[in-house]
Amino acid sequence: MATLKPGVVTGKDYKTLVAAAKEGGYALPAVNITGTNTLNAVLEAAAKAKSDVIIQLSNGGAQFYAGQGLSDGFQAKVLGAVAAAQHAHLLAEHYGVCVVMHTDHANKKLIPWVEAMLDEGEKFYERNGKPLFSSHMLDLSEETIEFNLGECARILERMAKMGMSLEIELGVTGGEEDGVGSDIDESADNSKLYTQPDDVLQAYDRLTPLGHFSVAASFGNVHGVYKPGNVKLRPEILKNSQALVEQTHSTGHNPLNLVFHGGSGSEKAKITEAVGYGVFKMNIDTDTQFAFSQPIGSFVEENSKAFKYQIDPDDGTPYKKFYDPRKYLRAAEVGIVTRLQEACEDLGSNGKSIAG
Ligand SMILES: [Zn+2]
C-alpha cells in the first residue's frame, strides 16, 4: 500500500490519497474551519483517529480567519485563506497524518476569489515547488451547465499546471451555507435538486482531459441540520452517474471522485452506501460548529460568576483561571476532537491514514 509523508498533500500525492480512500472503501471528513482553534482541533482529531483529513474554508470562514477588522472584505477572504493554508503547511506534518487543504463553495460572484487565491498559489508554487492548496471548489450549479463547465474548464487548466484538483458541483445542494446555496423549496425543479447522470457524463468528458477533478453531486443532501423527515437521501443517484460514465467509457469501477455535501446529521447507513458509490469526501460543518460551541455554553453555565466578576464579590475568590480564554476554547476544541472522531468511524477512515 502507498504511504505518503505526513502534512499537507498536493499534486500526485493528493491523487494517491483520493485513490486510497476509494479503494479502501472509506471517505475523509472535510471540516470547515474559521481560525486556529478549529484548525488545530481538526488536526488533533485526525491524529487521534489516525485518519487523514480535509480542512476547508468557506469565503466567510477565510474572511474571519484574516480578522473581521480588515476593512477590505475581498482582500480578507484571500489573505485569510492563504494564512490558514500556511498555518497548515507549517503544523500539519507534526500531527502525523495527511491533510488536504481546500476551499469550499465559490459561486459566480466568487470566481474572482478563487482566481485571487490562484494568484497567491502560483507565487507559492514558484517559491516552494508545490501548491498552497490541494484543491479549490467552484460551485456554478445555479448557472447553466454550459457556463458551469466552461468556467470549470478554464479554472482547471490553470490549476492543473500546479497539479491542483478542482471540485465542481452539479445539481443544487439544498440549504444555505455562508450565503451560498438555496433555501429548501419542495416545489423546486426536481432535476436541479438531484444531479442528472447526463450532466455528470458531460462534465467527465469535458474535464478529464484537462486535469484532476471531483464532483459534488446532489442526492437529496442539504446544508445544515433539520428535523428528521426533511431530508431524504437517495445515494442511488450517485450509483447511476458512476454507471453511466463506466459504461460509456469502459472505465474501471467508480470512475468519478464524488463529494458528499451536507453530511451533518446523516444516517450512518446512507453514509456507508454513498461511500460505496465512490464518495471519498464528506463535508461536516454544522455538526462540528455545534460540537465547538456546546462545551462553551456548558462552561459558562457552570462557571457563570467568572464571566461576570474577576473576583467573587461575596468571598473574594479570584476567577482568572476560569475566564482565561484558553479554558473555554480548549473545551470547545475537545468538542470538535470528540465529534470528529465519531465522524471518522462513520466514514470508516479511522486507523486508515496512509501517512508513513
Ligand atoms: Zn456544501
Side-chain angles (χ1 to χ4, degrees), residues 11-12 18 64 71 91 110 123 126 129 171 188 243 270 290 294:
K12 67 173 177 20
V18 172
F64 192 85
S71 55
L91 292 179
L110 286 166
K123 285 185 232 162
E126 214 158 272
K270 296 286 186 188
F290 185 66
Q294 201 231 357

Side-chain angles (χ1 to χ4, degrees), residues 56 104-105 137 139 167 169 173 177 223 261-262 283:
Q56 59 190 22
D104 207 5
H105 297 270
M137 180 186 195
D139 174 5
E167 181 181 325
E169 179 152 333
T173 304
E177 198 168 71
H223 291 129
H261 278 246
N283 293 3

Side-chain angles (χ1 to χ4, degrees), residues 4-327:
L4 299 174
K5 264 178 36 186
V8 174
V9 294
T10 56
K12 67 173 177 20
D13 289 346
Y14 171 80
K15 292 178 201 169
T16 301
L17 186 65
V18 172
K22 286 171 71 185
E23 279 159 29
Y26 63 91
L28 302 177
V31 187
N32 286 61
I33 63 96
T34 53
T36 55
N37 291 114
T38 45
L39 197 161
N40 293 342
V42 173
L43 293 175
E44 182 180 347
K48 286 216 163 91
K50 293 187 168 50
S51 168
D52 299 320
V53 75
I54 299 170
I55 289 175
Q56 59 190 22
L57 296 110
S58 68
N59 69 95
Q63 184 173 3
F64 192 85
Y65 200 102
Q68 300 292 84
L70 283 182
S71 55
D72 184 338
F74 178 80
Q75 188 191 41
K77 283 170 205 249
V78 179
L79 292 176
V82 171
Q86 287 185 337
H87 177 108
H89 276 277
L90 183 68
L91 292 179
E93 61 187 280
H94 299 285
Y95 285 81
V97 292
C98 295
V99 176
V100 170
M101 279 308 292
H102 176 72
T103 56
D104 207 5
H105 297 270
N107 62 11
K108 191 176 176 182
K109 71 174 194 297
L110 286 166
I111 294 174
W113 176 52
V114 174
E115 293 185 297
M117 287 190 292
L118 287 174
D119 292 340
E120 294 298 324
E122 282 164 356
K123 285 185 232 162
F124 185 92
Y125 187 83
E126 214 158 272
R127 286 195 305 271
N128 302 286
K130 61 183 175 186
L132 179 60
F133 278 89
S134 319
S135 51
H136 293 301
M137 180 186 195
L138 263 191
D139 174 5
L140 304 173
S141 56
E142 304 252 10
E143 315 302 325
T144 63
I145 182 92
E146 291 75 23
F147 182 84
N148 186 346
L149 296 182
E151 284 298 281
C152 288
R154 184 176 70 81
I155 298 286
L156 179 57
E157 277 187 304
R158 187 174 169 191
M159 294 172 78
K161 291 186 183 120
M162 294 183 275
M164 293 178 70
S165 182
L166 177 69
E167 181 181 325
I168 70 165
E169 179 152 333
L170 296 168
V172 177
T173 304
E176 200 217 72
E177 198 168 71
D178 251 357
V180 181
S182 50
D183 288 335
I184 297 167
D185 178 5
E186 296 277 331
S187 64
D189 177 6
N190 203 38
S191 68
K192 270 250 154 196
L193 287 177
Y194 295 105
T195 298
Q196 302 301 299
D198 286 336
D199 289 353
V200 178
L201 179 62
Q202 243 191 87
Y204 183 88
D205 290 344
R206 184 89 189 256
L207 301 179
T208 301
L210 303 178
H212 191 274
F213 70 98
S214 56
V215 180
S218 303
F219 56 105
N221 40 326
V222 293
H223 291 129
V225 172
Y226 302 89
K227 67 175 193 287
N230 267 14
V231 181
K232 283 191 191 66
L233 287 179
R234 294 173 52 197
E236 70 274 12
I237 285 176
L238 305 176
K239 185 187 179 184
N240 297 342
S241 291
Q242 293 281 18
L244 182 63
V245 174
E246 194 177 326
Q247 284 156 17
T248 309
H249 292 292
S250 310
T251 65
H253 186 55
N254 285 347
L256 299 154
N257 306 313
L258 296 177
V259 176
F260 181 167
H261 278 246
S264 293
S266 299
E267 290 166 68
K268 178 148 194 310
K270 296 286 186 188
I271 294 172
T272 306
E273 194 184 344
V275 170
Y277 301 145
V279 166
F280 75 97
K281 168 182 188 257
M282 185 177 86
N283 293 3
I284 37 170
D285 181 20
T286 310
D287 281 357
T288 43
Q289 281 184 337
F290 185 66
F292 187 79
S293 298
Q294 201 231 357
I296 297 179
S298 304
F299 188 90
V300 173
E301 233 169 58
E302 283 158 26
N303 303 285
S304 61
K305 273 183 155 180
F307 289 83
K308 293 192 189 93
Y309 313 105
Q310 282 190 290
I311 298 157
D312 192 298
D314 301 323
D315 62 17
T317 309
Y319 284 129
K320 178 173 162 52
K321 65 179 177 210
F322 297 101
Y323 61 73
D324 179 336
R326 285 173 293 185
K327 282 285 176 184

